[in-house]
Amino acid sequence: MGEPFHFVSSMIANDALRSAVERGYEVFAREPRPTHWRAAPSRDGDALLRMLTAAPLRDLSDDAIGPYSSWAITTVGSAQDYRYFLPRILALAVANTGWVGADPPVIASRLMMSQWETWPAVQRHAVLNLFETAFLCSLEGEGSAWMDTENWLCGLARLDQPLESFLHAWEAATAAVAGLQLSRFVSGSAKRLGRGGSIGGGFWDEVHVSVRQRVGAWLLSEPVRRRLEVTLGSVGDEDRWEIEQGLFDLDRVG
């Protein structure tokens, strides 16, 4: 069984990230707990709802909230229900537990379905603060181990947030983990970049093409190359091949 957030929070080393999660619980605390909902025939909606409301929101295990996070709105419950469970889903996201519904771009997609731009400003700010804090922590290897920087960037893009400051933060980050994740982003995008400079595939396909082109141009830029070259000299032999592959891919598509 997955651990409830009271345990997971002790594993989040970064104070800012832990505070961002706590802020989510605070600003959504008055959202009503669902008492009934509609579910697709393929889901046992009544059983799922009983499980999700049998304990305080903070104490729901990963194995309880994880499946719901993947089914929310599309096959189980409404946008209002998702809003109630959102703080626990955000906690799941920063714990990097592997549930699809806790991937930042999936959360962002559910938020867009929920017309989150109409929510109170304090709630929108809390969500964005968590996304931004998680992105920055991932550059330092903080929070839970190896949070995926690209995933948080894609989530921010899906929420229509300007990406310039985040791209600059990534190229300026000095931790080796930031360079390794950047190399993975380059190599994972190389095939698309070679077809015209726009990234795509997976969750990125839900992002406006102009943003994908901008990110693609950034990946091919000189600051990104320099960042990979600097990282090459600071990692052990077991990681050098990833950086070398990223540089090779830049040469191939640049």
Side-chain angles (χ1 to χ4, degrees):
M1 291 288 290
E3 299 290 349
F5 178 69
H6 281 309
F7 176 78
V8 171
S9 64
S10 67
M11 301 170 63
I12 302 175
N14 184 274
D15 290 340
L17 185 55
R18 190 164 53 248
S19 295
V21 172
E22 286 295 329
R23 182 59 176 159
Y25 281 107
E26 291 173 9
V27 302
F28 288 95
R30 294 193 177 186
E31 294 301 322
R33 185 172 70 174
T35 57
H36 63 278
W37 60 20
R38 300 184 64 180
S42 59
R43 311 291 180 209
D44 189 342
D46 291 340
L48 180 62
L49 183 59
R50 284 195 299 271
M51 179 174 63
L52 289 172
T53 56
L57 185 60
R58 289 172 176 268
D59 293 334
L60 291 177
S61 70
D62 294 354
D63 291 342
I65 196 68
Y68 166 72
S69 69
S70 301
W71 303 334
I73 305 176
T74 56
T75 59
V76 174
S78 67
Q80 181 58 55
D81 301 326
Y82 188 74
R83 198 160 161 181
Y84 169 80
F85 290 108
L86 180 59
R88 182 63 184 89
I89 294 171
L90 292 173
L92 192 70
V94 301
N96 196 29
T97 54
W99 291 101
V100 173
D103 274 346
V106 175
I107 295 174
S109 180
R110 298 294 192 272
L111 290 170
M112 298 301 285
M113 290 180 191
S114 302
Q115 297 183 315
W116 85 300
E117 64 275 10
T118 67
W119 295 2
V122 66
Q123 292 183 341
R124 299 196 309 273
H125 181 269
V127 172
L128 286 176
N129 179 59
L130 185 139
F131 269 67
E132 293 169 4
T133 302
F135 173 87
L136 294 173
C137 287
S138 74
L139 296 177
E140 302 299 327
E142 298 183 13
S144 56
W146 282 83
M147 289 195 303
D148 191 323
T149 305
E150 180 193 344
N151 257 1
W152 288 104
L153 183 72
C154 184
L156 287 160
R158 185 70 184 89
L159 293 176
D160 295 328
Q161 298 304 298
L163 298 186
E164 294 299 325
S165 63
F166 302 108
L167 300 181
H168 290 321
W170 200 344
E171 68 191 39
T174 58
V177 63
L180 285 164
Q181 294 216 55
L182 182 56
S183 181
R184 293 172 181 176
F185 191 13
V186 168
S187 293
S189 304
K191 188 173 182 180
R192 295 267 183 162
L193 290 173
R195 295 177 180 174
S198 175
I199 63 171
F203 299 126
W204 283 105
D205 285 344
E206 298 182 1
V207 175
H208 193 278
V209 64
S210 64
V211 177
R212 290 190 277 122
Q213 290 171 340
R214 170 67 187 94
V215 175
W218 173 74
L219 285 175
L220 295 173
S221 69
E222 189 59 32
V224 166
R225 175 181 293 277
R226 287 199 302 269
R227 184 67 189 85
L228 295 185
E229 290 172 344
V230 169
T231 304
L232 187 62
S234 64
V235 296
D237 292 341
E238 69 277 11
D239 293 321
R240 285 183 61 87
W241 71 271
E242 288 199 72
I243 307 300
E244 290 170 347
Q245 182 63 51
L247 289 167
F248 172 80
D249 288 329
L250 284 180
D251 289 336
R252 182 163 56 88
V253 302

